[in-house]
Amino acid sequence: EDAFEAVAACLASAARGEAENFPVIREALGEGRQYGFKSGIDRAGRLLGVKSGGYFPGNAAKGMINHQSSIFLFDPDTGKPVAMVGGNLLTALRTAAAAAISIDRLARADARVLGIVGAGHQAGFQLRAAAQVRKWDRVIAWNLHPEMLAKLGDVATEIGLPFEPVGLERMVDADVIITITSSPAASLMAAHVAPGTHLACMGTDTKGKQEVDPALFSKARVV
């Protein structure tokens, strides 16, 4: 609930021109590892901060999540540091809240089928958040490695939603699709998306990542 309130307030600040992101600094470290800085200011919320961290794909084999980050907040008037916050859970909650807010504000009122592309650590957060803003009849999901879908299915069962692993071509059945992968090449193609579908594209956050077919942009209203 706190994440929904905070993210909605910050998005509103950005829409009014009172909040902005600064240019992202992101560097490749080799072997799929990435490290960088994301920073910004919310003048209405009196927040100035930076997230330092990245993506380390070897972590899963070590019992850690692949995303690792820390967040530092500063007084916007003086620059004095006021908080250091572990960024792993916060990133998960913030990302899920942003997608769910977009669904709440922009998806069709009659949307009943939720599609999820990706089944990593973040996918469960996305599903839980989406279930807070709409009533779904069922969830369909695809992942490059299908064996990972079982964990997402457990989340769906926990919150009482029928769950079905599908091929990408079945995403045309979805009214809303959340993409949450770290893919370097598009997996969700224009042929996989039915007219009127709401897309919440959450995984592509830096140069070198691409989740969706560029052809979708010529057909879509982009927010």
Side-chain angles (χ1 to χ4, degrees), residues 29-52:
L29 303 180
E31 301 172 328
R33 295 172 298 156
Q34 295 181 331
Y35 180 73
F37 302 89
K38 297 179 179 180
S39 58
I41 187 169
D42 178 4
R43 295 175 180 85
R46 293 190 50 74
L47 292 169
L48 173 68
V50 59
K51 180 170 82 168
S52 169

Side-chain angles (χ1 to χ4, degrees), residues 4 9 13 18 26-27 38 46 63 83 87 100 105 150 159 162 173 178 188 214:
F4 275 102
S13 291
E18 296 176 340
R26 178 66 68 90
E27 298 294 336
K38 297 179 179 180
R46 293 190 50 74
R105 303 298 201 273
I159 60 181
D173 296 340
I178 300 171
L188 187 71

Side-chain angles (χ1 to χ4, degrees), residues 56-97:
F56 299 83
N59 283 5
K62 303 173 184 176
M64 299 183 291
I65 64 172
N66 292 338
H67 174 274
Q68 295 289 328
S69 66
S70 299
I71 294 169
F72 301 82
L73 296 179
F74 306 90
D75 183 295
D77 295 325
T78 66
K80 180 181 178 181
V82 295
M84 183 178 76
V85 185
N88 296 352
L89 177 60
L90 189 56
T91 294
L93 295 173
R94 185 279 321 278
T95 306

Side-chain angles (χ1 to χ4, degrees), residues 142-162:
W142 175 88
N143 193 64
L144 181 63
H145 304 288
E147 67 275 8
M148 295 176 63
L149 288 166
K151 189 173 182 180
L152 185 59
D154 291 341
V155 175
T157 299
E158 180 186 330
I159 60 181
L161 288 174

Side-chain angles (χ1 to χ4, degrees), residues 100-150:
I101 290 167
S102 80
I103 294 168
D104 181 49
R105 303 298 201 273
L106 300 173
R108 299 193 325 265
D110 64 350
R112 291 293 180 269
V113 179
L114 175 64
I116 300 179
V117 174
H121 175 75
Q122 182 63 34
F125 290 91
Q126 298 293 143
L127 176 52
R128 292 180 190 278
Q132 292 288 319
V133 296
R134 292 293 179 97
K135 293 186 181 298
W136 307 103
D137 292 340
R138 58 193 174 100
V139 180
I140 60 176
W142 175 88
N143 193 64
L144 181 63
H145 304 288
E147 67 275 8
M148 295 176 63
L149 288 166

Side-chain angles (χ1 to χ4, degrees), residues 161-218:
L161 288 174
F163 179 85
E164 182 184 5
V166 298
L168 278 169
E169 69 280 357
R170 285 281 310 283
M171 282 292 151
V172 295
D173 296 340
D175 304 307
V176 170
I177 301 173
I178 300 171
T179 63
I180 186 68
T181 75
S182 57
S183 176
S187 51
L188 187 71
M189 308 307 289
H192 302 148
V193 181
T197 302
H198 174 72
L199 300 180
C201 303
M202 307 306 295
T204 301
D205 63 348
T206 192
K207 183 179 179 180
K209 293 184 181 181
Q210 183 181 352
E211 297 186 291
V212 302
D213 186 350
L216 285 164
F217 285 85
S218 65

